[in-house]
Amino acid sequence: MTIMTPLYGHTRSVVRPHYALFTPAGMVRAPLPGWPGAECVVAIGPALGAHFAQLLITLPPGAMGIGPGADEENFLFVRSGAVELQIGGQNIRLTTGGYAYLPPNMPYQVRSDSIPPAELIVFQRRYVALDGVAAPAPVVGHEDDLVGAPFLGDEAALLKTLLPDIPAFDLAVNIFTFQPGATLPFVETHVMEHGMQMILGQGIYRLGDDWHPVQAGDIIWMAPWCPQWFVATGKAPARYIYYKNVNRSPLG
Ligand code: UGY
Ligand code: MN
């Protein structure tokens, strides 16, 4: 049997001024405040040029997440395993595909006894209040309970919106599922910024003037107005979860 060695010195990861692609092989885990005992990858953050952070958290038994930081809102998505969330005096179990929006200034804790350890995809940012509008209440759900809507009429590209589309929210988190060969209908260029993680399958992502093959596990940052387009390739559906900023003045 031939054992393939990795091609040393090669990576699909790239960092450009208006986008970045990170592959799992290059991700480096480290401790992070607010996550005692957890293994944390800060995949996207302000140091990159983003206005939010995207984390990948591995939560072994005994580890926990404690939050939020000042004026910070968090969105947790359970990528694998299950977690126990404590918020507002309630204990809530979130299984794989479950999610929670945790508003600013409302204490929460999250832990897990899953083996292998549970993994969370986390989007976080400082909440931007809107005059006369109260901050959102917590939201808890499961992707299986949502019906995907055809994206701009395309039954082969289904979009699930995980949060209510109301002005109180300054962020949206959606899950896109593409049948093989399905595409975003046009090359998007928009004020909204994205952080995304592929959770199933593969495809080609156009970012700026570049085309990148991507697969489950890859993480992408797209700056405002970064030209973006996707086609699902292979014989199985491709799916990704992504963040975008919404409902606020472009003047900040
Ligand atoms: O919501 C969006 O802007 C989405 N269509 N973008 C994307 O998937 N890159
Ligand atoms: Mn977009």
Side-chain angles (χ1 to χ4, degrees), residues 67-180:
D71 296 327
E72 180 186 286
E73 55 186 341
N74 284 266
F75 183 98
L76 313 182
F77 177 79
V78 184
R79 186 184 183 213
S80 63
V83 302
E84 306 293 331
L85 173 68
Q86 238 178 58
I87 185 165
Q90 276 187 290
N91 281 319
I92 301 163
R93 184 171 172 82
L94 298 173
T95 54
T96 303
Y99 61 88
Y101 167 78
L102 307 167
N105 308 318
M106 185 179 280
Y108 69 84
Q109 291 191 0
V110 60
R111 34 168 81 77
S112 167
D113 53 15
S114 289
I115 296 174
E119 287 181 306
L120 293 173
I121 296 170
V122 180
F123 301 105
Q124 54 180 206
R125 57 168 291 172
R126 301 233 183 269
Y127 181 66
V128 178
L130 202 55
D131 272 355
V133 178
V139 175
V140 171
H142 196 287
E143 64 159 322
D144 290 348
D145 298 332
L146 301 174
V147 178
F151 186 61
L152 300 180
D154 186 354
E155 298 279 350
L158 296 182
L159 189 67
K160 291 183 177 180
T161 44
L162 277 46
L163 292 175
D165 183 13
I166 55 172
F169 285 93
D170 63 356
L171 84 175
V173 178
N174 302 333
I175 294 179
F176 239 135
T177 304
F178 295 85
Q179 293 307 309

Side-chain angles (χ1 to χ4, degrees), residues 151 174 176 184 188 190 192 194 205 222 228 240 242 244:
F151 186 61
N174 302 333
F176 239 135
L184 283 178
E188 298 178 359
H190 50 59
M192 295 83 82
H194 289 320
Y205 232 99
M222 297 170 235
Q228 57 200 257
Y240 58 77
Y242 70 99
K244 65 181 180 183

Side-chain angles (χ1 to χ4, degrees), residues 178 182-186 196 198 202-206 214 228-233 238-240:
F178 295 85
T183 70
L184 283 178
F186 54 90
M196 74 87 122
M198 293 286 298
Q202 60 171 282
I204 308 282
Y205 232 99
R206 176 180 172 151
V214 294
Q228 57 200 257
W229 178 83
F230 179 70
V231 57
T233 55
R239 177 178 300 149
Y240 58 77

